[in-house]
Amino acid sequence: MAVTQQLARIPEEYLAACRQSAAASSDGDHHWDPPANDVLDLDWAPALLRRAGEVAGLDAAHLDALRRATDGESALDLVFLDTYPHAIAPFGAAPTGLGISEVAQVSALLGRIDMPALLAALPADEGEAESLIGLMGGPITGGLRAYLLEHFNALRDFYLDAAERHLLVVLWWD
């Protein structure tokens, strides 16, 4: 099973209930199970999206938005989600997250990124573009540009929905 990046958009109350469950449970079981339609699997796209932005000359504010959207921050208390035996990220770094205002900021900046134009700024030759991006594991089925556009659109839409619903975003690698 490949380790991929996961994101969940959740209400503050859900996070508080999971934290309370972990504290009340003798083995720290937090009962983390966000609804499937509020979880996004970004595969290995985060680093590739950021690198494509760098190569294509995306400005610092929008690059930072991509970083925050895929790395999160440590503003949320998520230690209980990283505690054995119920850790949600047993193969990666500790879970991170973004609060409601940070989600809104990131969503607004992602919404201003013109990904088709950014991808058009990459070298026309697929092999050359892949070389600059630094693919891990070889060529991507369907092509680099299609992969990046699909995952960027999913990320942007995910954050837009989270911002509109005033939700937190929790990120982890699983």
Side-chain angles (χ1 to χ4, degrees):
M1 177 171 112
V3 177
T4 60
Q5 185 170 48
Q6 308 293 308
L7 293 86
R9 51 188 174 213
I10 57 170
E12 287 179 301
E13 298 80 15
Y14 180 78
L15 188 63
C18 289
R19 188 177 294 112
Q20 184 176 12
S21 291
S25 170
S26 62
D27 68 350
D29 189 355
H30 42 68
H31 299 285
W32 175 261
D33 190 22
N37 62 336
D38 282 323
V39 175
L40 175 64
D41 183 339
L42 266 188
D43 195 41
W44 283 94
L48 302 177
L49 286 167
R50 289 191 304 266
R51 181 66 183 139
E54 292 168 358
V55 169
L58 190 60
D59 65 89
H62 290 93
L63 274 174
D64 187 56
L66 272 175
R67 181 200 56 78
R68 291 173 68 204
T70 58
D71 286 350
E73 296 175 339
S74 57
L76 302 177
D77 174 16
L78 302 173
V79 173
F80 70 96
L81 291 175
D82 196 35
T83 304
Y84 178 81
H86 301 286
I88 66 170
F91 306 110
T96 61
L98 295 172
I100 293 170
S101 62
E102 290 81 14
V103 167
Q105 293 166 357
V106 165
S107 175
L109 287 165
L110 291 177
R112 292 185 199 115
I113 296 175
D114 184 351
M115 187 55 74
L118 202 143
L119 296 173
L122 296 176
D125 178 73
E126 186 81 5
E128 189 178 339
E130 289 176 356
S131 175
L132 284 173
I133 301 299
L135 296 184
M136 302 164 281
I140 294 173
T141 304
L144 174 65
R145 285 173 180 77
Y147 177 86
L148 291 174
L149 185 59
E150 175 186 344
H151 286 82
F152 174 78
N153 287 342
L155 181 68
R156 182 199 59 220
D157 295 348
F158 184 85
Y159 270 93
L160 177 61
D161 184 69
E164 288 174 349
R165 294 167 52 202
H166 306 285
L167 299 175
L168 310 169
V169 172
V170 174
L171 305 95
W172 71 99
W173 286 86
D174 183 23

